[in-house]
Structure formats: structure tokens, C-alpha cells
């Protein structure tokens, strides 16, 4: 083999290892001594070993001219051989069994995903394609053996410096004269996997978090100096200082209202409580809707940034939100804080990371470097969605795990946690506890209706029930004695419309399905009396593009009279204030969340009113049954029936805002006993078994959807898409699509596939199952306009 063993077309293996080691140093500078001490030795080993399998003759031939390589593609692959070397060195040097398993896993999976672990290796189970021992048998073992035979270890050893030379020399010594494959297989299965299976469930969760931390550091370091054009862009980072006083300045002297008075008192108690419990790791904030939880969470984070500063830097903050509809308003709150501090916002200070984000970073960074810096969350504060956070937390794929180390030594704000499905309660309880313990993170769980799934959380407001008792902004009227047909409900709201318009009311009607919402909107428009054209009607559902939804929410927030017809997309976190809300029946947490949009600032003379009605379609099917889980609905009905039974004959049953907390606590307690809280998903995570996707965990199985782009809302988008299609290099083309994805999503409407409907009836197919909606099938006022479209959602 000729001198100069390469890892990349332009890099020698020794140079690449040096770059990975430098990148690891950059990464560890952002972490505490506690976390660095935990991973120091093993990440150094990973840096040396992860590409050692590239010393084969086949790979060296391939790397000379990758495009014209004509050899066996299996022979030039290196991850399995690198993992074999890691196992061999661990066995030969007597490394700790679990560290050896971790090292083998991260080396084997650094181009794809963390491997799975066979459930019962000792009983001779059949390997899956991703099992950690899969390369030690069958065809994959034959390939590794061929690769080993192609290596001249003496020659290779002379070409490699220091630790790489030592590693290959040890490998060569260990192989000579031994039935090495059998020894390695027995060592992996009996010692490493056997030890792993003897871990308790909680120990296994902590070990998984530990492995993901190592994996994440290797993944980022492996790509860092390859992904950025100027090494200083990566290695030289600004030291930004967020200041708690910015929040005080932004709040200023607010108008004297009950809500603002309570917000001030809650914030003061939160700061005192945080100082009393600054050594704790997991906190909860249960406060009434409208308490200003965004700024309360920012107060918690900025105070902790001051307390936990290490290496001259403040810890990273990650804000996790359930809905895209509330991300913009949260981002704007943090932008306002930066403005008060005289800071121009860029990606080093604040990064919004979700499907609608524009993937911009900083004017000081070149366009080619931006994708890597965005995808690795190199920012002080990241605002993201449940999907992105949970994929980073639990999905084994490398593209998500590269960000995982950012969850360590971090301040994580988990907002609107009542939105989490029950089957994530048990996994998150154990995984977040382990993240706090192993990764030295602080976590804040927030909601007006907090599920009881992390019992160790320290409440920041010890007497939070008193705050709920002080708010008397609304009452919830339960019109549930008999179901009401959709036609009858439409007739009712059309009759009430003139009174609402005459009295300049702000009314919101929230339906469970897109179809029923469209029916209500149509009847209201048809019933609008003459002389009231100045009061706007707003329709908000998934049939409306995000651009239009955000614009309508912005107008609604101005506080002028209006009529809003919506689906649940305005339910949680959207900061709007209505006089009257009418909602189709749903789970109690959804009812409470929509109630938080009524008389939010407490400015009405009396209480605002939320009416809950039980609407059925023409076939007497409840719309609530089409959308929500039976257990959630049944628990809610049982609780609300108890209210009905306590009312005197002839009086409409109702409950008041100050009674909400008691009902929600009973609701979540009952769900804990009645629902699957996700034990099987926890065990799959802990034991490295494949599980359903994060999206399915969050939303259940989703039906196939068609995506339509409304090009009249972005006339130059088609040209930008055409330019992407013309890019020859598939990696550049993929990045260009990612960069354009947020712009596309802003003008997209997704609908579920239904029998008898084909997207080409209303649109022209483009690429990647994207359809360009023809003009005339969309109006901003009503959304998608398809005659006979019968989709229920």
C-alpha cells in the first residue's frame, strides 16, 4: 500500500482524526466539567477508532476517485470493520464492558444510526439488519474477514502516527494465530450484551442517555471541519451574555389589572423559589392561563444562566412548544428582550428550528456554512417543536442524534405539557430524569393543567392553587344534556349572529373537524345582516395556509370586534382574548385550554362565557368521537356529569374558572389509571429496540396526506423550486430543498387522502409528491375550496 492513507479525497486519515479531536475540544468547551469528565476517555477512543476501518485496500482504491470506483461496494465500507477493531481493542486491553459496548455502538453507527441490541442474545436469537452483533455472522462477517485479509498491518502501521499506529499494532497482535471471530462474538454477546441485559430498567435508561451523549459528540465532531469552509467559523464562538434585567425593562410599568397584578406576584415568587432550589434539576410551573408563562419561563432561564455559567459561558436554553401557531409569538418575545438589551438578533443569540423556519443564521457566516451551524443548534436559545425535541431525545438516527449533546448542561423549557399523549408520560418521566442526572440539565415543565408524570419536579409556585382561586375571568356552561345536530347548531349561531355584531362582540366558535368548521363559517357568512360588513369574520383551520393563519391570528390579537370560526389550532398558547367562546365537546384539557382564550385579560365587566356543546353529524355521529381518544372523552364526561348532577332542576350546569384546577387534577389522575402511559415505549428505548416513530407517538397513526402549494401567495416560489430541481449534486440539492422547505410550508395545505378524490383533480403534480394547486381552488377567507370535498378532519 502506498504512503498516505486517506480518509477523504482531500484528507489523510491522521489529519481527519486530528480534526475530529479539535472539534471535540470545541464541543466540550460548551459543557461542564461534570459532563466532560464522564465522556473524556471514551470520546478520545472514538475519535481514533471510528474511521480506522478505512485502512483496507478497497477503501483506499475507492477514495482515490469515488465517482469511478468499480470494485465491490461492500468491500469499501468501513463502519463494521471499525466496530470490529473497537471490540478487539476493548477485549485485548480489558476495557469496562459497558464502555466497550458504547464505543462499539457509536463507531458502528456513526454513518447511520445507533444499532439495536438483540433481546436475548444468549439464546441464539436471529439478528436483525441493525443489531450490534450483526456483522459477526453471515455475509457481513465474510466481508469483514475479506477486508482484514487485504490489510498489510506492518505497512499501515508505519504510515500512521502515534495512537493510530498503536491501535493497528494492537489489532494485528490480537488477531495473529487466533480464532478471532468466535472470540469476539462470544465476548460481545456474553460479556458486553450480557452485562447490558443485567442492568435494571433505570440503569439501562441512564446508560442509553450516556451512549447518546458520546454518539452525539462524535457525530458533530466527525462532520465539523468538513462542513464549514472556514475552520474559525466553527472553532471561534462569541460569548453572549443574556441579562435578567432585560425582562424587567420589557415589562416596564404595565396597566393595573388583576391579570397584571397576579403576573407580577407570580414572577417575584418564582425568582425566590428558584434561588431556594437552585441545586434542583427538574421544576414545574403550574399557573393559570394568561399568567405570562413565556416571560416567566424566560425569567427562570435567564436567572439560571447567571447561576450556572461555566467556562465563561452561559448554558444553552431550549424552548419546546407543541404547535407551530405559538412559536412565532414566543420567538418575538425573545427578540423583544434582545432589542431591550440593544442586541441585533442573529442565530448565535436565538435560533428558531422547525418546519417553517427560514434556516438563516448570521450575516458573518457564509451561506455554505449556515446549514451545519443551524442543524447543530449552535445558538444560545433554541425555540423548537415537540417533534424536533423528541427526535433529538429518543430517535436513534444520526441526523437527529448529532444535536443530542445540546440537551446536556442545558436549560430545557417544556411548555404546554398537557398536550403530550399519555403514552409518552412514562418514557419522559424516566428519560428526562436521566438527562438531568447524566447530562446535568435543568428542566422546566409548564402548563395551566400539568399532568402528574414527573413526581420529582419541584414546583416553583408552592401555593399555585391560590393563584387559580384569584382568577375569576370566565365560566364554562355545559350544554351537554342532549346532542345537537350540526344543522341545528348552524341555525342557532346564524340566529345569534346579529346580536353579536350589534353589541360588537369578539366571538370564537371552535369545531372539532374541518368539515364542520366550514359548515359553520358558510352559514355565518350567508347570514351576515346588511350594515355589518365592517366587522371581520376569520376562518382558521388546517385548510388555511400557515401564512394566512398567522396573519389572521395577528389581526385577531388587535382586540377589535370579530367573529372567528376555527378548529383546535388556536387552542393552546395562542395569545388571543375573546368575549364568548363556543366549543364542540372534547377532552377536559382541551376545554380548559380554549377557555383560556376567553376574557384573558379580565377586562370584561362580568365573566366571559364558554359554552360547551355536543355536536353530531347528519348520521348522529359525534364529531368529538372522530377526533379524540375514547378514554379521554369518557373520563371528561364522567367528571362533567358529576357537575350536572349537583345542579338544581332547570338550571344549566356550569363551572367557574377558580374550580378548573380541581377538575383537571382529578382528570389527569383518572387518566393515569385508565390509559396506557407508555411502559412498553420506555422499555424499547432502554433496551435499544426499534419503536414506532416520534410522530406516531405524538399523534398516532396518520393517514396519508397530499400537500398542495398555493403559489399565488408566493409568486416567485416556483422559480426557486425549479432552480433546486436543476441542481445536479444530490447533497447540494437536498440542502437546497431543506432551505426552501420553510417557505414552501408557509403556503402549503395538507389534506388526507379520501376515496374518490385524486389531487390531480385540483392541482398539477410537481416532484416528490408535491402538488401545485390551480388558481380558483383557494381563498384566504375560507381556505381550500373543493366542491364535494368530504374529509372530516
Amino acid at each position: 500500500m502506498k504512503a498516505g492513507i486517506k480518509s477523504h479525497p482531500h484528507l489523510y486519515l491522521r489529519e481527519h482524526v486530528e480534526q475530529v479531536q479539535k472539534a471535540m475540544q470545541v464541543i466540550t468547551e460548551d459543557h461542564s466539567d461534570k459532563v466532560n469528565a464522564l465522556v473524556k476517555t471514551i470520546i478520545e477512543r472514538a475519535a481514533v477508532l471510528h474511521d480506522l476501518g478505512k485502512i483496507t485496500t478497497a477503501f483506499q482504491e475507492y477514495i482515490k476517485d469515488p465517482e469511478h470506483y468499480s470494485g465491490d461496494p461492500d468491500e469499501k465500507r468501513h463502519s463494521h470493520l471499525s466496530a470490529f477493531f473497537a471490540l478487539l481493542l476493548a477485549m485485548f486491553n480489558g476495557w469496562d464492558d459497558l464502555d466497550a459496548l458504547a464505543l462499539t455502538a457509536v463507531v458502528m453507527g456513526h454513518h447511520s444510526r445507533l444499532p439495536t441490541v438483540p433481546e436475548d442474545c444468549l439464546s441464539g436469537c436471529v439478528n436483525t439488519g441493525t443489531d450490534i452483533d450483526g456483522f459477526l455472522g453471515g455475509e457481513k462477517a465474510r466481508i469483514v474477514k475479506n477486508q482484514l485479509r487485504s490489510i498489510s498491518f506492518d505497512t499501515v502501521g508505519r504510515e500512521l502516527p502515534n495512537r493510530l499506529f498503536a491501535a493497528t499494532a494492537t489489532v494485528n497482535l490480537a488477531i495473529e494465530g487466533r480464532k478471532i471471530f468466535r472470540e469476539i462474538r462470544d465476548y460481545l454477546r456474553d460479556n458486553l450484551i450480557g452485562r447490558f441485559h443485567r442492568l435494571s430498567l433505570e440503569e439501562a435508561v441512564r446508560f442509553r442517555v450516556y451512549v447518546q451523549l458520546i454518539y452525539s459528540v462524535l457525530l458533530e465532531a466527525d462532520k465539523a471541519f468538513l462542513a464549514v469552509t472556514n475552520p474559525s467559523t466553527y472553532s471561534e464562538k462569541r460569548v453572549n451574555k443574556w441579562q435578567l434585567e432585560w425582562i424587567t425593562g420589557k415589562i416596564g410599568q404595565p396597566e393595573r389589572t388583576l391579570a397584571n397584578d397576579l403576573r407580577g406576584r407570580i414572577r417575584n415568587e418564582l425568582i425566590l423559589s428558584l434561588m431556594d432550589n437552585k441545586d434542583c434539576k427538574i421544576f414545574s410551573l403550574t399557573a393559570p392561563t394568561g399568567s405570562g408563562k413565556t416571560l416567566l419561563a424566560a425569567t427562570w432561564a435567564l436567572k439560571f444562566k447567571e447561576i450556572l455559567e461555566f467556562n465563561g459561558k452561559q448554558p444553552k436554553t431550549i424552548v419546546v412548544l407543541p404547535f407551530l401557531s405559538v412559536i412565532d409569538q414566543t420567538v418575538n418575545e425573545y427578540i423583544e428582550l434582545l432589542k431591550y438589551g440593544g442586541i441585533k438578533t442573529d442565530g448565535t443569540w436565538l435560533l428558531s428550528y422547525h418546519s417553517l423556519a427560514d434556516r438563516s443564521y448570521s450575516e458573518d457566516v457564509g451561506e455554505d456554512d449556515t446549514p451545519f451551524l443551524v442543524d447543530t443548534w449552535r445558538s444560545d436559545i433554541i425555540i423548537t417543536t415537540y417533534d424536533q425535541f423528541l427526535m433529538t431525545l429518543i430517535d436513534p438516527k444520526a441526523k437527529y442524534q448529532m444535536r443530542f449533546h445540546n440537551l446536556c448542561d442545558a436549560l430545557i423549557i417544556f411548555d404546554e405539557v398537557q398536550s403530550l399523549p399519555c403514552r409518552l408520560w412514562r418514557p419522559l418521566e424516566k428519560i428526562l430524569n436521566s438527562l438531568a442526572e447524566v447530562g446535568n440539565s435543568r428542566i422546566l415543565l409548564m402548563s395551566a393543567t400539568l399532568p402528574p408524570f414527573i413526581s420529582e419536579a419541584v414546583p416553583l409556585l408552592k401555593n399555585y392553587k391560590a393563584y387559580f382561586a384569584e382568577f375569576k375571568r370566565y365560566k364554562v356552561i355545559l350544554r351537554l344534556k342532549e346532542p345537537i345536530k350540526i344543522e341545528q347548531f348552524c341555525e342557532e349561531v346564524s340566529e345569534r349572529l346579529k346580536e353579536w355584531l350589534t353589541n360588537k362582540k369578539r366571538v370564537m366558535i371552535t369545531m372539532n373537524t374541518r368539515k364542520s368548521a366550514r359548515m359553520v363559517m358558510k352559514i355565518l357568512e350567508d347570514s351576515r345582516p346588511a350594515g355589518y360588513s365592517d366587522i371581520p369574520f376569520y376562518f382558521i383551520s388546517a385548510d388555511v395556509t400557515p401564512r394566512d393563519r398567522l396573519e389572521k391570528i395577528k389581526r385577531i390579537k388587535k382586540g377589535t370586534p370579530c367573529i372567528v370560526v376555527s378548529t383546535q389550532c388556536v387552542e393552546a398558547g395562542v395569545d388571543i382574548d375573546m368575549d364568548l367562546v363556543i366549543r364542540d365537546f372534547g377532552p377536559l384539557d382541551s376545554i380548559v385550554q380554549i377557555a383560556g382564550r376567553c376574557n384573558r385579560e379580565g377586562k370584561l365587566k362580568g365573566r366571559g362565557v364558554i359554552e360547551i356543546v355536543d355536536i353530531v353529524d347528519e348520521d348522529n355521529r359525534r364529531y368529538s368521537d372522530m377526533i379524540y381518544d375514547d378514554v379521554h372523552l369518557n373520563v371528561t364526561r364522567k367528571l362533567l356529569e358529576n357537575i350536572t348532577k349537583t345542579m338544581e332542576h332547570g338550571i344549566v350546569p356550569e363551572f367557574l374558572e377558580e374550580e378548573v384546577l380541581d377538575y383537571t387534577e382529578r382528570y389527569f389522575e383518572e387518566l393515569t389509571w385508565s390509559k396506557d402511559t407508555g411502559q412498553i415505549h420506555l422499555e424499547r428505548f432502554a433496551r435499544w429496540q426499534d419503536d414506532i416513530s416520534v410522530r406516531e407517538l405524538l399523534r398516532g397513526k396518520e393517514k396519508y396526506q397530499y400537500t398542495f402549494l398555493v403559489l399565488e401567495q408566493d409568486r416567485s416560489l416556483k422559480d426557486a423550486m425549479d432552480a433546486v430541481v436543476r441542481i445536479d449534486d444530490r447533497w447540494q440539492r437536498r440542502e437546497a430543498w431543506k432551505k426552501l422547505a420553510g417557505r414552501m410550508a408557509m403556503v402549503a395545505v395538507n389534506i388526507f387522502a379520501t376515496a374518490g378524490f385524486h389531487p390531480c383533480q385540483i392541482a398539477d403534480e410537481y416532484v416528490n409528491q408535491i402538488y401545485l394547486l390551480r388558481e380558483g381552488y383557494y381563498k384566504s377567507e375560507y381556505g381550500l375550496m373543493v366542491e364535494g370535498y368530504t374529509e372530516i378532519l
Side-chain angles (χ1 to χ4, degrees):
M1 186 176 293
K2 294 182 179 180
I5 296 170
K6 289 191 172 183
S7 64
H8 298 80
H10 63 293
L11 273 181
Y12 293 110
L13 179 58
R14 65 176 183 273
E15 293 174 325
H16 177 58
V17 170
E18 288 169 0
Q19 287 185 349
V20 172
Q21 290 169 331
K22 289 178 183 177
M24 284 180 171
Q25 184 177 353
V26 172
I27 294 168
T28 55
E29 285 174 356
D30 279 347
H31 287 289
S32 64
D33 291 341
K34 177 181 177 180
V35 167
N36 288 333
L38 189 67
V39 301
K40 182 178 186 298
T41 300
I42 197 166
I43 63 172
E44 289 175 353
R45 290 171 178 167
V48 172
L49 295 173
H50 76 287
D51 273 356
L52 192 55
K54 291 181 176 180
I55 64 176
T56 61
T57 301
F59 184 86
Q60 292 303 307
E61 287 298 319
Y62 159 77
I63 207 64
K64 289 177 185 176
D65 188 2
E67 290 187 9
H68 298 99
Y69 174 70
S70 59
D72 186 342
D74 289 329
E75 295 285 348
K76 57 91 173 172
R77 292 186 177 127
H78 69 279
S79 294
H80 286 160
L81 183 59
S82 296
F84 174 83
F85 289 157
L87 271 173
L88 194 61
L89 289 169
M91 182 179 71
F92 193 83
N93 292 299
W95 294 344
D96 175 82
D97 288 340
L98 290 180
D99 278 351
L101 183 64
L103 182 63
T104 304
V106 302
V107 168
M108 179 178 170
H110 75 278
H111 281 296
S112 53
R113 49 158 289 166
L114 279 174
T116 51
V117 173
E119 293 186 59
D120 188 10
C121 238
L122 302 180
S123 65
C125 63
V126 177
N127 288 307
T128 69
T130 58
D131 278 346
I132 195 168
D133 65 339
F135 67 95
L136 294 175
E139 177 63 16
K140 291 178 181 177
R142 185 193 65 79
I143 293 168
V144 172
K145 290 175 183 178
N146 285 344
Q147 291 175 322
L148 285 170
R149 283 192 286 267
S150 78
I151 301 170
S152 171
F153 282 99
D154 290 339
T155 304
V156 167
R158 287 194 295 271
E159 302 297 337
L160 298 175
N162 302 330
R163 299 187 67 183
L164 282 172
F165 170 79
T168 55
T170 305
V171 166
N172 190 27
L173 181 63
I175 289 175
E176 288 181 354
R178 302 167 68 171
K179 295 181 178 179
I180 198 63
F181 262 78
R182 179 179 298 175
E183 289 184 48
I184 287 288
R185 185 168 57 246
D186 291 345
Y187 169 67
L188 174 59
R189 293 180 175 180
D190 298 344
N191 293 53
L192 309 193
I193 297 177
R195 170 83 178 277
F196 171 76
H197 281 307
R198 290 192 295 273
L199 295 176
S200 69
L201 183 64
E202 291 193 1
E203 289 171 336
V205 173
R206 288 196 295 272
F207 179 63
R208 170 74 182 257
V209 169
Y210 167 67
V211 173
Q212 289 184 184
L213 171 57
I214 299 161
Y215 188 48
S216 179
V217 174
L218 174 62
L219 290 171
E220 180 175 324
D222 189 33
K223 291 180 172 58
F225 289 105
L226 301 171
V228 296
T229 54
N230 183 356
S232 64
T233 300
Y234 182 76
S235 57
E236 296 176 10
K237 291 184 285 188
R238 295 194 314 219
V239 178
N240 298 329
K241 299 287 185 180
W242 289 76
Q243 299 179 32
L244 186 62
E245 66 185 36
W246 295 349
I247 297 178
T248 305
K250 180 184 182 303
I251 293 172
Q253 296 294 324
E255 178 186 356
R256 292 297 303 272
T257 65
L258 171 64
N260 283 333
D261 176 60
L262 286 173
R263 287 168 188 154
R265 287 161 49 198
I266 289 172
R267 182 168 178 265
N268 290 335
E269 183 180 341
L270 180 146
I271 294 174
L272 292 173
S273 179
L274 187 155
M275 294 305 297
D276 289 341
N277 298 281
K278 60 184 179 182
D279 293 328
C280 297
K281 294 292 185 70
I282 302 182
F283 298 84
S284 65
L285 177 59
T286 307
T289 301
S291 301
K293 286 194 288 294
T294 299
L295 285 182
L296 290 173
T299 300
W300 176 84
L302 268 56
K303 186 63 180 175
F304 255 137
K305 278 181 178 290
E306 295 176 355
I307 295 170
L308 299 176
E309 186 174 304
F310 50 83
N311 298 330
K313 300 175 183 177
Q314 295 177 333
K316 195 181 299 286
T317 301
I318 301 171
V319 183
V320 189
L321 299 162
F323 308 116
L324 290 171
S325 57
V326 299
I327 279 191
D328 269 6
Q329 67 185 36
T330 303
V331 169
N332 288 335
E333 292 275 18
Y334 283 93
I335 290 174
E336 289 297 317
L337 292 181
L338 289 170
K339 283 182 181 177
Y340 186 82
I343 306 295
K344 182 180 178 181
T345 304
D346 70 5
T348 67
W349 287 92
L350 178 66
L351 183 67
S352 181
Y353 195 90
H354 54 87
S355 63
L356 299 186
D358 62 7
R359 293 180 65 80
S360 61
Y361 188 71
S362 171
E363 294 177 354
D364 300 330
V365 173
E367 185 175 341
D368 292 339
D369 295 344
T370 291
F372 181 76
L373 300 177
V374 169
D375 287 333
T376 52
W377 288 3
R378 287 171 63 81
S379 182
D380 295 334
I381 294 183
I382 298 98
I383 300 178
T384 190
T385 57
Y386 279 12
D387 294 69
Q388 293 296 335
F389 176 82
L390 290 173
M391 285 188 289
T392 304
L393 183 68
I394 64 177
D395 195 303
K397 296 185 186 67
K399 63 180 179 179
Y400 304 126
Q401 284 301 302
M402 186 165 60
R403 301 193 293 262
F404 179 85
H405 74 84
N406 292 292
L407 306 185
C408 301
D409 288 311
L411 306 169
I412 301 171
I413 298 167
F414 224 111
D415 199 6
E416 304 290 356
V417 293
Q418 84 289 337
S419 301
L420 288 165
C422 297
R423 61 180 168 180
L424 278 169
W425 289 4
R426 180 72 170 157
L428 283 178
E429 176 185 19
K430 296 301 181 184
I431 298 170
L432 291 180
N433 272 318
S434 294
L435 181 65
E437 180 183 345
V438 176
N440 195 40
S441 299
R442 268 57 172 191
I443 299 164
L444 176 61
L445 307 169
M446 296 201 307
S447 178
T449 54
L450 194 68
F453 66 86
I454 298 189
S455 56
E456 295 89 347
V458 174
L460 286 170
L461 304 178
K462 294 198 181 324
N463 195 23
Y464 61 88
K465 293 185 178 182
Y467 292 113
F468 279 86
E470 290 190 51
F471 273 117
K472 298 177 172 63
R473 294 169 294 183
Y474 63 74
K475 62 180 178 181
V476 180
I477 295 175
L478 304 173
R479 299 172 49 194
L480 302 174
K481 187 176 181 180
E482 296 290 340
I484 180 173
K485 283 204 170 186
I486 183 65
E487 296 85 356
Q488 183 182 349
F489 178 75
C490 288
E491 183 179 343
E492 175 196 316
V493 295
S494 69
E495 291 173 354
R496 298 173 67 179
L497 178 61
K498 185 173 183 180
E499 182 266 326
W500 296 336
L501 297 176
T502 301
N503 293 301
K504 298 188 181 301
K505 294 287 187 180
R506 290 170 53 79
V507 179
M508 181 162 68
I509 302 169
T510 300
M511 308 298 289
N512 280 327
T513 71
R514 301 185 205 181
K515 180 180 179 181
S516 59
R518 284 195 298 271
M519 293 174 68
V520 172
M521 185 65 183
K522 184 176 187 307
I523 196 70
L524 289 175
E525 284 285 16
D526 292 345
S527 305
R528 185 197 288 259
Y532 292 99
S533 59
D534 58 323
I535 296 180
F537 288 19
Y538 299 113
F539 180 69
I540 304 175
S541 83
D543 279 340
V544 177
T545 64
R547 172 170 292 182
D548 280 337
R549 292 205 301 267
L550 292 171
E551 178 59 30
K552 290 175 183 181
I553 289 171
K554 182 178 178 181
R555 293 177 187 173
I556 294 167
K557 289 170 71 171
K558 291 180 179 179
T560 55
C562 62
I563 306 295
V564 180
V565 178
S566 75
T567 54
Q568 311 94 310
C569 56
V570 297
E571 204 159 80
V574 180
D575 187 11
I576 57 177
D577 193 349
M578 311 302 292
D579 303 331
L580 168 67
V581 174
I582 304 174
R583 196 209 190 284
D584 194 359
F585 182 76
L588 186 65
D589 55 311
S590 296
I591 292 172
V592 172
Q593 286 300 320
I594 204 70
R597 313 309 120 200
C598 184
N599 196 21
R600 188 177 180 87
E601 296 297 322
K603 293 182 178 181
L604 295 179
K605 290 183 179 179
R607 290 180 185 262
V609 174
I610 300 98
E611 299 178 14
I612 307 299
V613 290
D614 193 7
I615 306 177
V616 298
D617 68 5
E618 58 275 9
D619 297 319
N620 290 317
R621 297 179 300 169
R622 286 186 167 99
Y623 288 105
S624 56
D625 291 340
M626 302 175 191
I627 303 299
Y628 296 110
D629 175 84
D630 288 345
V631 175
H632 288 77
L633 293 174
N634 291 336
V635 170
T636 302
R637 289 187 191 282
K638 181 179 177 182
L639 283 171
L640 298 186
E641 282 172 3
N642 290 336
I643 299 176
T644 305
K645 291 176 183 176
T646 62
M647 303 300 294
E648 295 181 10
H649 181 70
I651 299 178
V652 176
E654 63 182 39
F655 63 89
L656 309 177
E657 180 181 13
E658 53 269 36
E659 299 173 306
V660 162
L661 184 62
D662 178 56
Y663 287 119
T664 55
E665 288 181 343
R666 288 158 56 189
Y667 170 74
F668 283 118
E669 181 180 355
E670 184 65 28
L671 284 181
T672 303
W673 292 104
S674 304
K675 286 287 293 180
D676 169 21
T677 55
Q679 181 67 24
I680 185 61
H681 303 298
L682 173 63
E683 291 174 359
R684 286 172 180 164
F685 174 85
R687 300 302 178 188
W688 298 27
Q689 298 300 305
D690 282 331
D691 200 358
I692 60 177
S693 70
V694 165
R695 287 187 173 88
E696 188 172 337
L697 281 170
L698 278 171
R699 286 178 285 278
K701 287 188 176 180
E702 294 186 343
K703 294 192 296 183
Y704 183 79
Q705 294 188 72
Y706 298 115
T707 298
F708 299 96
L709 298 183
V710 184
L711 291 182
E712 58 257 41
Q713 293 195 348
D714 188 345
R715 294 289 182 181
S716 62
L717 177 59
K718 176 64 162 50
D719 291 338
M721 293 165 61
D722 291 342
V724 173
V725 171
R726 289 193 295 268
I727 297 174
D728 291 329
D729 184 272
R730 66 188 181 100
W731 299 108
Q732 293 180 9
R733 187 169 63 251
R734 185 175 71 169
E735 181 53 43
W737 278 123
K738 288 169 70 175
K739 188 173 182 180
L740 202 59
R743 185 173 165 189
M744 294 166 62
M746 285 295 289
V747 298
V749 178
N750 298 310
I751 66 173
F752 293 108
T754 56
F757 173 78
H758 191 277
C760 288
Q761 295 171 222
I762 61 172
D764 300 313
E765 188 170 5
Y766 190 65
V767 293
N768 300 330
Q769 296 180 318
I770 295 171
Y771 295 88
L772 309 182
L773 194 69
R774 300 186 196 116
E775 292 200 20
Y777 287 102
Y778 183 88
K779 290 186 178 179
S780 293
E781 298 90 337
Y782 310 110
L784 195 65
M785 306 285 291
V786 182
E787 187 70 26
Y789 174 48
T790 59
E791 186 220 348
I792 64 167
L793 299 177

